[in-house]
Amino acid sequence: MGEEGPPKTEMINPALLDGVSANFIVKGPNGVEKAFPMRSITVTIGRSDACEIAVKDSSMSGKHAEISKINGEIRVKDLGSANGIWLNGERVDDVELYDGDVLRCGQTSIRVDVVGGRKRPDAGMNPKMLAGIIVGVLVLAGAGIGGGLYLKKKQQRKRDLATLGAFVGAAREGQKAKPCSAAVDKVADVARTLNTLGKPNCSAIPKGDDAKRVVAGYRDLARTYDRIATSISQFAAQSSASAQALTGSAEQIADADLKNKVAEAQDLVEQRSQVTNTFIADWKKLGQATNTYATELDQAFLQGNKGVCAAVDRGVQAKTAGEVLVGCNRNFDKAKNAVEEKLKELDDVAGGGEGAPE
């Protein structure tokens, strides 16, 4: 977006849809914002080009969500996506949209402008927070102006600490994830396959069916590595959705110092997520390198091209499956421990309650 201002919402005549209509400000993973007016009764959102709102977001399903006008309401519905849809920081399946709501689908955020509609009654806050605010207002009404301001500040502190406690609980739940373990059984299978195939080399070129078996074996390994990468990518998409929910929760904290502490925790959570991304990338590289090696084996063993023998003797030019798994475990444990240390610090603050410094 550079230094450009926020995009201008393209307003449409509400009469086109008989009253209430909507506009959507979509911000994709690349940070670019674009406005989409609601031109039909039903609008789909996803990464498929067939969607009315198509976003290049690999963490979204082809058709991720559907927004419809039903009985004078603008509603959003999850179309069975892997990582769900999030409204103002909370996961939802089928719910009415109000003016000012913010949806998250994958790594994409969507601000909703309901034309002819109304603001959300609780302004996007969860019921517990709303109840806390109502209590605070009642207390202020019965106190003097000076005392009222003090109580208001105190109530805000309580709300911040409650939100912080919820953040810590949700972040700690994410600590239970074990992306590296998803490949343990596969790595054992790969080791057995490699042991069966042996170490191909041009000094003892296999013939006939044996040569075909070796080439086919390495092609199957390449496909196995690709399937592992795909499986872990689905896990990463769910983890990304959980991280986005944490972000929505943290945005409700008003105290600057607490907000900074939470931001530090979020950075560490992101570093933990990056370990999973690296894990996926390593499997993809191994799959590509193994597929290349299978082609070199085909050339040397089946086509008789001795010019590729040097490449055959070098083997697959990538980390082994075992090395990929060991690296993931080592780096994930390190990142997980860093997150836990920060969560303990936040837990101490959240547990301070009214006695914590204001």
mmCIF file of all heavy atoms in Angstrom, residues 215-261:
data_model
loop_
_atom_site.group_PDB
_atom_site.id
_atom_site.type_symbol
_atom_site.label_atom_id
_atom_site.label_comp_id
_atom_site.label_asym_id
_atom_site.label_seq_id
_atom_site.Cartn_x
_atom_site.Cartn_y
_atom_site.Cartn_z
ATOM 1 N N VAL A 215 14.738 -47.270 -9.505
ATOM 2 C CA VAL A 215 14.214 -45.987 -10.015
ATOM 3 C C VAL A 215 12.816 -45.735 -9.462
ATOM 4 O O VAL A 215 12.510 -44.638 -8.965
ATOM 5 C CB VAL A 215 14.187 -45.983 -11.558
ATOM 6 C CG1 VAL A 215 13.482 -44.719 -12.066
ATOM 7 C CG2 VAL A 215 15.608 -46.055 -12.109
ATOM 8 N N ALA A 216 11.936 -46.753 -9.529
ATOM 9 C CA ALA A 216 10.562 -46.594 -9.025
ATOM 10 C C ALA A 216 10.562 -46.334 -7.527
ATOM 11 O O ALA A 216 9.752 -45.551 -7.016
ATOM 12 C CB ALA A 216 9.745 -47.838 -9.346
ATOM 13 N N GLY A 217 11.491 -46.981 -6.804
ATOM 14 C CA GLY A 217 11.564 -46.780 -5.359
ATOM 15 C C GLY A 217 11.861 -45.342 -4.990
ATOM 16 O O GLY A 217 11.250 -44.783 -4.064
ATOM 17 N N TYR A 218 12.783 -44.710 -5.707
ATOM 18 C CA TYR A 218 13.117 -43.318 -5.404
ATOM 19 C C TYR A 218 12.004 -42.361 -5.844
ATOM 20 O O TYR A 218 11.772 -41.330 -5.208
ATOM 21 C CB TYR A 218 14.453 -42.937 -6.036
ATOM 22 C CG TYR A 218 15.613 -43.308 -5.134
ATOM 23 C CD1 TYR A 218 16.234 -44.547 -5.244
ATOM 24 C CD2 TYR A 218 16.056 -42.442 -4.149
ATOM 25 C CE1 TYR A 218 17.276 -44.911 -4.398
ATOM 26 C CE2 TYR A 218 17.096 -42.789 -3.293
ATOM 27 C CZ TYR A 218 17.705 -44.034 -3.424
ATOM 28 O OH TYR A 218 18.721 -44.379 -2.574
ATOM 29 N N ARG A 219 11.307 -42.707 -6.910
ATOM 30 C CA ARG A 219 10.169 -41.857 -7.293
ATOM 31 C C ARG A 219 9.064 -41.935 -6.230
ATOM 32 O O ARG A 219 8.428 -40.930 -5.905
ATOM 33 C CB ARG A 219 9.629 -42.286 -8.649
ATOM 34 C CG ARG A 219 10.573 -42.007 -9.807
ATOM 35 C CD ARG A 219 9.826 -41.802 -11.115
ATOM 36 N NE ARG A 219 10.743 -41.687 -12.239
ATOM 37 C CZ ARG A 219 11.414 -40.590 -12.545
ATOM 38 N NH1 ARG A 219 11.294 -39.514 -11.787
ATOM 39 N NH2 ARG A 219 12.212 -40.566 -13.597
ATOM 40 N N ASP A 220 8.836 -43.133 -5.693
ATOM 41 C CA ASP A 220 7.847 -43.287 -4.622
ATOM 42 C C ASP A 220 8.273 -42.500 -3.376
ATOM 43 O O ASP A 220 7.434 -41.892 -2.695
ATOM 44 C CB ASP A 220 7.684 -44.766 -4.259
ATOM 45 C CG ASP A 220 6.863 -45.525 -5.288
ATOM 46 O OD1 ASP A 220 6.160 -44.872 -6.071
ATOM 47 O OD2 ASP A 220 6.938 -46.768 -5.304
ATOM 48 N N LEU A 221 9.563 -42.506 -3.072
ATOM 49 C CA LEU A 221 10.055 -41.737 -1.923
ATOM 50 C C LEU A 221 9.790 -40.251 -2.119
ATOM 51 O O LEU A 221 9.391 -39.555 -1.175
ATOM 52 C CB LEU A 221 11.558 -41.974 -1.735
ATOM 53 C CG LEU A 221 11.966 -43.247 -0.997
ATOM 54 C CD1 LEU A 221 13.489 -43.363 -0.959
ATOM 55 C CD2 LEU A 221 11.420 -43.266 0.423
ATOM 56 N N ALA A 222 10.019 -39.763 -3.337
ATOM 57 C CA ALA A 222 9.777 -38.336 -3.612
ATOM 58 C C ALA A 222 8.316 -37.992 -3.364
ATOM 59 O O ALA A 222 7.998 -36.947 -2.766
ATOM 60 C CB ALA A 222 10.159 -38.008 -5.053
ATOM 61 N N ARG A 223 7.410 -38.879 -3.800
ATOM 62 C CA ARG A 223 5.982 -38.634 -3.568
ATOM 63 C C ARG A 223 5.655 -38.698 -2.074
ATOM 64 O O ARG A 223 4.812 -37.948 -1.575
ATOM 65 C CB ARG A 223 5.143 -39.642 -4.356
ATOM 66 C CG ARG A 223 5.111 -39.368 -5.855
ATOM 67 C CD ARG A 223 4.083 -40.238 -6.555
ATOM 68 N NE ARG A 223 4.525 -41.625 -6.658
ATOM 69 C CZ ARG A 223 5.205 -42.131 -7.678
ATOM 70 N NH1 ARG A 223 5.561 -41.343 -8.682
ATOM 71 N NH2 ARG A 223 5.541 -43.406 -7.709
ATOM 72 N N THR A 224 6.300 -39.601 -1.356
ATOM 73 C CA THR A 224 6.088 -39.693 0.096
ATOM 74 C C THR A 224 6.490 -38.397 0.786
ATOM 75 O O THR A 224 5.769 -37.890 1.658
ATOM 76 C CB THR A 224 6.907 -40.867 0.675
ATOM 77 O OG1 THR A 224 6.412 -42.098 0.143
ATOM 78 C CG2 THR A 224 6.800 -40.901 2.194
ATOM 79 N N TYR A 225 7.633 -37.844 0.413
ATOM 80 C CA TYR A 225 8.090 -36.594 1.012
ATOM 81 C C TYR A 225 7.108 -35.458 0.718
ATOM 82 O O TYR A 225 6.832 -34.623 1.585
ATOM 83 C CB TYR A 225 9.481 -36.226 0.475
ATOM 84 C CG TYR A 225 10.558 -37.237 0.811
ATOM 85 C CD1 TYR A 225 11.587 -37.522 -0.098
ATOM 86 C CD2 TYR A 225 10.551 -37.925 2.020
ATOM 87 C CE1 TYR A 225 12.580 -38.455 0.207
ATOM 88 C CE2 TYR A 225 11.536 -38.857 2.324
ATOM 89 C CZ TYR A 225 12.541 -39.116 1.417
ATOM 90 O OH TYR A 225 13.519 -40.032 1.716
ATOM 91 N N ASP A 226 6.565 -35.437 -0.495
ATOM 92 C CA ASP A 226 5.592 -34.402 -0.847
ATOM 93 C C ASP A 226 4.315 -34.541 -0.016
ATOM 94 O O ASP A 226 3.723 -33.542 0.413
ATOM 95 C CB ASP A 226 5.239 -34.475 -2.343
ATOM 96 C CG ASP A 226 6.383 -34.023 -3.238
ATOM 97 O OD1 ASP A 226 7.275 -33.302 -2.729
ATOM 98 O OD2 ASP A 226 6.402 -34.390 -4.420
ATOM 99 N N ARG A 227 3.890 -35.804 0.217
ATOM 100 C CA ARG A 227 2.679 -36.015 1.026
ATOM 101 C C ARG A 227 2.912 -35.585 2.470
ATOM 102 O O ARG A 227 2.008 -35.028 3.113
ATOM 103 C CB ARG A 227 2.268 -37.493 0.976
ATOM 104 C CG ARG A 227 1.634 -37.916 -0.337
ATOM 105 C CD ARG A 227 0.937 -39.268 -0.198
ATOM 106 N NE ARG A 227 1.896 -40.342 0.043
ATOM 107 C CZ ARG A 227 2.481 -41.055 -0.899
ATOM 108 N NH1 ARG A 227 2.221 -40.801 -2.173
ATOM 109 N NH2 ARG A 227 3.315 -42.031 -0.595
ATOM 110 N N ILE A 228 4.107 -35.828 2.983
ATOM 111 C CA ILE A 228 4.424 -35.393 4.347
ATOM 112 C C ILE A 228 4.346 -33.870 4.430
ATOM 113 O O ILE A 228 3.774 -33.310 5.376
ATOM 114 C CB ILE A 228 5.824 -35.890 4.760
ATOM 115 C CG1 ILE A 228 5.835 -37.414 4.899
ATOM 116 C CG2 ILE A 228 6.244 -35.254 6.086
ATOM 117 C CD1 ILE A 228 7.203 -38.007 5.152
ATOM 118 N N ALA A 229 4.919 -33.186 3.435
ATOM 119 C CA ALA A 229 4.890 -31.710 3.424
ATOM 120 C C ALA A 229 3.460 -31.198 3.388
ATOM 121 O O ALA A 229 3.108 -30.244 4.097
ATOM 122 C CB ALA A 229 5.674 -31.183 2.219
ATOM 123 N N THR A 230 2.609 -31.845 2.586
ATOM 124 C CA THR A 230 1.208 -31.427 2.491
ATOM 125 C C THR A 230 0.481 -31.635 3.819
ATOM 126 O O THR A 230 -0.283 -30.770 4.263
ATOM 127 C CB THR A 230 0.493 -32.221 1.380
ATOM 128 O OG1 THR A 230 1.134 -31.958 0.125
ATOM 129 C CG2 THR A 230 -0.979 -31.828 1.292
ATOM 130 N N SER A 231 0.719 -32.773 4.449
ATOM 131 C CA SER A 231 0.073 -33.070 5.730
ATOM 132 C C SER A 231 0.462 -32.050 6.794
ATOM 133 O O SER A 231 -0.401 -31.549 7.539
ATOM 134 C CB SER A 231 0.464 -34.473 6.178
ATOM 135 O OG SER A 231 -0.056 -34.757 7.461
ATOM 136 N N ILE A 232 1.739 -31.716 6.857
ATOM 137 C CA ILE A 232 2.190 -30.762 7.873
ATOM 138 C C ILE A 232 1.694 -29.355 7.531
ATOM 139 O O ILE A 232 1.440 -28.541 8.419
ATOM 140 C CB ILE A 232 3.720 -30.797 7.994
ATOM 141 C CG1 ILE A 232 4.176 -32.191 8.394
ATOM 142 C CG2 ILE A 232 4.215 -29.787 9.029
ATOM 143 C CD1 ILE A 232 5.656 -32.416 8.327
ATOM 144 N N SER A 233 1.513 -29.059 6.247
ATOM 145 C CA SER A 233 0.971 -27.752 5.846
ATOM 146 C C SER A 233 -0.437 -27.557 6.379
ATOM 147 O O SER A 233 -0.824 -26.459 6.794
ATOM 148 C CB SER A 233 0.977 -27.628 4.321
ATOM 149 O OG SER A 233 2.286 -27.601 3.810
ATOM 150 N N GLN A 234 -1.225 -28.628 6.380
ATOM 151 C CA GLN A 234 -2.588 -28.547 6.929
ATOM 152 C C GLN A 234 -2.532 -28.276 8.431
ATOM 153 O O GLN A 234 -3.326 -27.487 8.963
ATOM 154 C CB GLN A 234 -3.330 -29.847 6.644
ATOM 155 C CG GLN A 234 -3.578 -30.090 5.160
ATOM 156 C CD GLN A 234 -4.109 -31.473 4.857
ATOM 157 O OE1 GLN A 234 -4.117 -32.355 5.713
ATOM 158 N NE2 GLN A 234 -4.559 -31.677 3.631
ATOM 159 N N PHE A 235 -1.591 -28.915 9.108
ATOM 160 C CA PHE A 235 -1.398 -28.655 10.540
ATOM 161 C C PHE A 235 -1.015 -27.186 10.746
ATOM 162 O O PHE A 235 -1.513 -26.518 11.657
ATOM 163 C CB PHE A 235 -0.302 -29.570 11.072
ATOM 164 C CG PHE A 235 0.129 -29.245 12.485
ATOM 165 C CD1 PHE A 235 -0.484 -29.844 13.561
ATOM 166 C CD2 PHE A 235 1.145 -28.326 12.729
ATOM 167 C CE1 PHE A 235 -0.093 -29.549 14.852
ATOM 168 C CE2 PHE A 235 1.540 -28.018 14.013
ATOM 169 C CZ PHE A 235 0.919 -28.629 15.078
ATOM 170 N N ALA A 236 -0.114 -26.675 9.890
ATOM 171 C CA ALA A 236 0.353 -25.292 10.027
ATOM 172 C C ALA A 236 -0.780 -24.301 9.828
ATOM 173 O O ALA A 236 -0.823 -23.250 10.474
ATOM 174 C CB ALA A 236 1.476 -25.018 9.033
ATOM 175 N N ALA A 237 -1.720 -24.624 8.928
ATOM 176 C CA ALA A 237 -2.857 -23.726 8.688
ATOM 177 C C ALA A 237 -3.717 -23.603 9.939
ATOM 178 O O ALA A 237 -4.183 -22.513 10.290
ATOM 179 C CB ALA A 237 -3.699 -24.252 7.523
ATOM 180 N N GLN A 238 -3.918 -24.720 10.643
ATOM 181 C CA GLN A 238 -4.693 -24.679 11.890
ATOM 182 C C GLN A 238 -3.946 -23.881 12.953
ATOM 183 O O GLN A 238 -4.542 -23.101 13.703
ATOM 184 C CB GLN A 238 -4.950 -26.099 12.381
ATOM 185 C CG GLN A 238 -5.809 -26.919 11.437
ATOM 186 C CD GLN A 238 -5.935 -28.370 11.854
ATOM 187 O OE1 GLN A 238 -5.261 -28.812 12.765
ATOM 188 N NE2 GLN A 238 -6.794 -29.115 11.183
ATOM 189 N N SER A 239 -2.627 -24.053 13.010
ATOM 190 C CA SER A 239 -1.816 -23.310 13.970
ATOM 191 C C SER A 239 -1.873 -21.820 13.679
ATOM 192 O O SER A 239 -1.936 -20.991 14.584
ATOM 193 C CB SER A 239 -0.362 -23.806 13.908
ATOM 194 O OG SER A 239 0.451 -23.084 14.801
ATOM 195 N N SER A 240 -1.873 -21.470 12.386
ATOM 196 C CA SER A 240 -1.949 -20.062 11.991
ATOM 197 C C SER A 240 -3.279 -19.446 12.421
ATOM 198 O O SER A 240 -3.333 -18.306 12.893
ATOM 199 C CB SER A 240 -1.792 -19.936 10.474
ATOM 200 O OG SER A 240 -1.967 -18.603 10.048
ATOM 201 N N ALA A 241 -4.364 -20.222 12.280
ATOM 202 C CA ALA A 241 -5.673 -19.724 12.701
ATOM 203 C C ALA A 241 -5.695 -19.466 14.207
ATOM 204 O O ALA A 241 -6.259 -18.472 14.676
ATOM 205 C CB ALA A 241 -6.759 -20.732 12.324
ATOM 206 N N SER A 242 -5.061 -20.352 14.981
ATOM 207 C CA SER A 242 -5.003 -20.171 16.431
ATOM 208 C C SER A 242 -4.208 -18.920 16.788
ATOM 209 O O SER A 242 -4.580 -18.161 17.686
ATOM 210 C CB SER A 242 -4.356 -21.391 17.086
ATOM 211 O OG SER A 242 -5.124 -22.553 16.843
ATOM 212 N N ALA A 243 -3.116 -18.673 16.056
ATOM 213 C CA ALA A 243 -2.297 -17.484 16.308
ATOM 214 C C ALA A 243 -3.083 -16.217 16.005
ATOM 215 O O ALA A 243 -2.972 -15.207 16.706
ATOM 216 C CB ALA A 243 -1.024 -17.540 15.463
ATOM 217 N N GLN A 244 -3.906 -16.254 14.958
ATOM 218 C CA GLN A 244 -4.727 -15.095 14.620
ATOM 219 C C GLN A 244 -5.760 -14.821 15.708
ATOM 220 O O GLN A 244 -6.075 -13.667 16.013
ATOM 221 C CB GLN A 244 -5.405 -15.326 13.272
ATOM 222 C CG GLN A 244 -4.430 -15.309 12.106
ATOM 223 C CD GLN A 244 -5.025 -15.898 10.852
ATOM 224 O OE1 GLN A 244 -6.216 -16.189 10.794
ATOM 225 N NE2 GLN A 244 -4.194 -16.087 9.840
ATOM 226 N N ALA A 245 -6.302 -15.889 16.285
ATOM 227 C CA ALA A 245 -7.258 -15.714 17.381
ATOM 228 C C ALA A 245 -6.581 -15.053 18.579
ATOM 229 O O ALA A 245 -7.162 -14.197 19.253
ATOM 230 C CB ALA A 245 -7.852 -17.059 17.779
ATOM 231 N N LEU A 246 -5.331 -15.431 18.844
ATOM 232 C CA LEU A 246 -4.567 -14.798 19.928
ATOM 233 C C LEU A 246 -4.395 -13.311 19.658
ATOM 234 O O LEU A 246 -4.506 -12.483 20.559
ATOM 235 C CB LEU A 246 -3.200 -15.462 20.061
ATOM 236 C CG LEU A 246 -3.154 -16.857 20.692
ATOM 237 C CD1 LEU A 246 -1.727 -17.380 20.674
ATOM 238 C CD2 LEU A 246 -3.684 -16.835 22.107
ATOM 239 N N THR A 247 -4.112 -12.972 18.416
ATOM 240 C CA THR A 247 -3.930 -11.564 18.048
ATOM 241 C C THR A 247 -5.201 -10.776 18.310
ATOM 242 O O THR A 247 -5.165 -9.671 18.865
ATOM 243 C CB THR A 247 -3.543 -11.448 16.568
ATOM 244 O OG1 THR A 247 -2.315 -12.140 16.352
ATOM 245 C CG2 THR A 247 -3.380 -9.995 16.151
ATOM 246 N N GLY A 248 -6.355 -11.345 17.942
ATOM 247 C CA GLY A 248 -7.624 -10.658 18.172
ATOM 248 C C GLY A 248 -7.883 -10.441 19.650
ATOM 249 O O GLY A 248 -8.401 -9.397 20.051
ATOM 250 N N SER A 249 -7.502 -11.415 20.479
ATOM 251 C CA SER A 249 -7.688 -11.273 21.928
ATOM 252 C C SER A 249 -6.782 -10.187 22.494
ATOM 253 O O SER A 249 -7.209 -9.344 23.284
ATOM 254 C CB SER A 249 -7.390 -12.612 22.612
ATOM 255 O OG SER A 249 -7.393 -12.472 24.014
ATOM 256 N N ALA A 250 -5.515 -10.175 22.062
ATOM 257 C CA ALA A 250 -4.547 -9.227 22.598
ATOM 258 C C ALA A 250 -4.892 -7.788 22.237
ATOM 259 O O ALA A 250 -4.572 -6.853 22.982
ATOM 260 C CB ALA A 250 -3.148 -9.561 22.081
ATOM 261 N N GLU A 251 -5.567 -7.592 21.111
ATOM 262 C CA GLU A 251 -5.910 -6.234 20.680
ATOM 263 C C GLU A 251 -6.891 -5.557 21.634
ATOM 264 O O GLU A 251 -7.069 -4.337 21.582
ATOM 265 C CB GLU A 251 -6.489 -6.283 19.262
ATOM 266 C CG GLU A 251 -5.430 -6.588 18.194
ATOM 267 C CD GLU A 251 -6.028 -6.790 16.817
ATOM 268 O OE1 GLU A 251 -7.281 -6.837 16.730
ATOM 269 O OE2 GLU A 251 -5.265 -6.898 15.851
ATOM 270 N N GLN A 252 -7.543 -6.333 22.504
ATOM 271 C CA GLN A 252 -8.518 -5.758 23.432
ATOM 272 C C GLN A 252 -7.860 -5.169 24.684
ATOM 273 O O GLN A 252 -8.524 -4.520 25.478
ATOM 274 C CB GLN A 252 -9.534 -6.835 23.848
ATOM 275 C CG GLN A 252 -10.342 -7.391 22.679
ATOM 276 C CD GLN A 252 -11.248 -8.540 23.085
ATOM 277 O OE1 GLN A 252 -11.306 -8.900 24.249
ATOM 278 N NE2 GLN A 252 -11.950 -9.106 22.134
ATOM 279 N N ILE A 253 -6.556 -5.411 24.859
ATOM 280 C CA ILE A 253 -5.857 -4.899 26.037
ATOM 281 C C ILE A 253 -5.541 -3.415 25.852
ATOM 282 O O ILE A 253 -4.989 -3.006 24.831
ATOM 283 C CB ILE A 253 -4.551 -5.692 26.279
ATOM 284 C CG1 ILE A 253 -4.894 -7.152 26.611
ATOM 285 C CG2 ILE A 253 -3.732 -5.076 27.392
ATOM 286 C CD1 ILE A 253 -3.687 -8.044 26.792
ATOM 287 N N ALA A 254 -5.879 -2.603 26.851
ATOM 288 C CA ALA A 254 -5.677 -1.157 26.752
ATOM 289 C C ALA A 254 -4.331 -0.715 27.325
ATOM 290 O O ALA A 254 -3.712 0.218 26.808
ATOM 291 C CB ALA A 254 -6.817 -0.422 27.468
ATOM 292 N N ASP A 255 -3.870 -1.356 28.395
ATOM 293 C CA ASP A 255 -2.642 -0.944 29.061
ATOM 294 C C ASP A 255 -1.430 -1.145 28.131
ATOM 295 O O ASP A 255 -1.198 -2.243 27.634
ATOM 296 C CB ASP A 255 -2.454 -1.770 30.339
ATOM 297 C CG ASP A 255 -1.222 -1.338 31.118
ATOM 298 O OD1 ASP A 255 -0.139 -1.903 30.846
ATOM 299 O OD2 ASP A 255 -1.338 -0.442 31.971
ATOM 300 N N ALA A 256 -0.664 -0.078 27.905
ATOM 301 C CA ALA A 256 0.449 -0.121 26.951
ATOM 302 C C ALA A 256 1.525 -1.119 27.366
ATOM 303 O O ALA A 256 2.073 -1.840 26.531
ATOM 304 C CB ALA A 256 1.053 1.272 26.797
ATOM 305 N N ASP A 257 1.836 -1.167 28.666
ATOM 306 C CA ASP A 257 2.882 -2.076 29.135
ATOM 307 C C ASP A 257 2.467 -3.532 28.944
ATOM 308 O O ASP A 257 3.255 -4.364 28.478
ATOM 309 C CB ASP A 257 3.178 -1.802 30.612
ATOM 310 C CG ASP A 257 4.326 -2.664 31.126
ATOM 311 O OD1 ASP A 257 5.411 -2.630 30.516
ATOM 312 O OD2 ASP A 257 4.143 -3.371 32.132
ATOM 313 N N LEU A 258 1.219 -3.845 29.296
ATOM 314 C CA LEU A 258 0.730 -5.204 29.099
ATOM 315 C C LEU A 258 0.690 -5.565 27.619
ATOM 316 O O LEU A 258 1.033 -6.677 27.223
ATOM 317 C CB LEU A 258 -0.668 -5.364 29.702
ATOM 318 C CG LEU A 258 -0.784 -5.310 31.227
ATOM 319 C CD1 LEU A 258 -2.226 -5.564 31.645
ATOM 320 C CD2 LEU A 258 0.146 -6.319 31.882
ATOM 321 N N LYS A 259 0.270 -4.601 26.808
ATOM 322 C CA LYS A 259 0.196 -4.842 25.366
ATOM 323 C C LYS A 259 1.578 -5.166 24.799
ATOM 324 O O LYS A 259 1.734 -6.042 23.944
ATOM 325 C CB LYS A 259 -0.399 -3.623 24.658
ATOM 326 C CG LYS A 259 -0.755 -3.867 23.192
ATOM 327 C CD LYS A 259 -1.346 -2.625 22.570
ATOM 328 C CE LYS A 259 -2.761 -2.376 23.030
ATOM 329 N NZ LYS A 259 -3.713 -3.339 22.430
ATOM 330 N N ASN A 260 2.613 -4.455 25.293
ATOM 331 C CA ASN A 260 3.980 -4.715 24.829
ATOM 332 C C ASN A 260 4.452 -6.109 25.238
ATOM 333 O O ASN A 260 5.119 -6.806 24.475
ATOM 334 C CB ASN A 260 4.942 -3.657 25.380
ATOM 335 C CG ASN A 260 4.768 -2.307 24.719
ATOM 336 O OD1 ASN A 260 4.273 -2.223 23.599
ATOM 337 N ND2 ASN A 260 5.154 -1.257 25.407
ATOM 338 N N LYS A 261 4.102 -6.499 26.475
ATOM 339 C CA LYS A 261 4.495 -7.839 26.942
ATOM 340 C C LYS A 261 3.831 -8.923 26.100
ATOM 341 O O LYS A 261 4.453 -9.941 25.756
ATOM 342 C CB LYS A 261 4.111 -8.009 28.416
ATOM 343 C CG LYS A 261 4.936 -7.168 29.393
ATOM 344 C CD LYS A 261 4.502 -7.418 30.828
ATOM 345 C CE LYS A 261 5.264 -6.526 31.804
ATOM 346 N NZ LYS A 261 6.702 -6.843 31.825
#
